[in-house]
Amino acid sequence: MVDQNFMSHLFEGVYVVDKSRKIVFWNEGSENITGYRADEVVNRFCYHNILQHVDQDGNELCFNGCPLHHTLETKAVNHGHVFLKHKEGYRVPVSVKTIPMLDDHGDVVGAIEVFTDERFQRNIIKENESLKDELMKDALTQIANRRYFEYSLVQAIEQHKLFNKSFGILLFDIDHFKHVNDTYGHLVGDEILKIVAKSLSSSTKKSDIISRWGGEEFIGLFEVDTTKDLKSIAERLRNLVNNSTYTTKDNVTISVTISIGGALFKENIKDKFLIDQADQALYQSKQNGRNQTTIAS
């Protein structure tokens, strides 16, 4: 039998389901990572899609590709990297391991899922001391601000000159954000900004940079070699945000989408021109119906 007293105090998230996929145990680590208390999930079924697991392409795994379901069916131990939805609406990258529980006859009676918050492993808080300085952070979203991005862009251009390191930038704009503010108020708008900021910053490599650019816009700098690579990153981030929602105190669910414009750095162009290219591409995405990506040619 599983020692639930031991699992209760693990840092990792651990939950147990019976053969019918009913959740029978939910530890403190699960509460800390997901925001859901045990009494909110125990005796519910995991296929109710509480955590809305998606892969990096935004595919919903609960209905097609659930590692826990596969373990129950096959007795196999599964490993994977997925994104769960926190109770507050933003995405959290987690590494997942699912383990079968067998009786004395070797028959499956349940399964255990162990998941670890990858944000700590990835050291999302940048090592650069200037980012730790509050002057380099956006006060609302707690990610890098415009000043830090502009500094980083100059550094990236210098590194390109010295080491030929390629990179590109992406501009992100929250769709219909003015309507959200006008309809639900600025406090709800602030929560939407936090959701997008966390989803973007938690889903990028340590070498990448996500900053708040201003208003409802965010900007990112990515080490890539081609426009195809840049668009692939943009689409992954767009799909992740597209699966995020916010629920108001009146129980109204607001869906969040973003439009993206990007540009790859090319020889001898200035930082302002690069940003202008990305901005024009973003405008094209919005003109074409929003919730899409355009990369400058």
Side-chain angles (χ1 to χ4, degrees), residues 16-44:
V16 179
V17 299
D18 64 16
K19 192 174 180 179
S20 66
R21 297 173 70 185
K22 182 172 73 174
I23 299 170
V24 296
F25 174 76
W26 186 265
N27 81 331
E28 186 177 332
S30 298
E31 293 184 342
N32 293 335
I33 295 172
T34 70
Y36 287 96
R37 302 187 312 273
D39 60 10
E40 295 178 285
V41 294
V42 168
N43 293 324
R44 295 177 65 182

Side-chain angles (χ1 to χ4, degrees), residues 20-23 44-50 62-63 66:
S20 66
R21 297 173 70 185
K22 182 172 73 174
I23 299 170
R44 295 177 65 182
F45 293 88
C46 70
Y47 54 74
H48 287 162
N49 204 17
I50 301 165
C62 186
F63 307 111
C66 172

Side-chain angles (χ1 to χ4, degrees), residues 244-258:
S244 300
T245 57
Y246 176 75
T247 303
T248 68
K249 292 180 179 179
D250 299 324
N251 209 31
V252 176
T253 299
I254 303 171
S255 298
V256 185
T257 64
I258 55 174

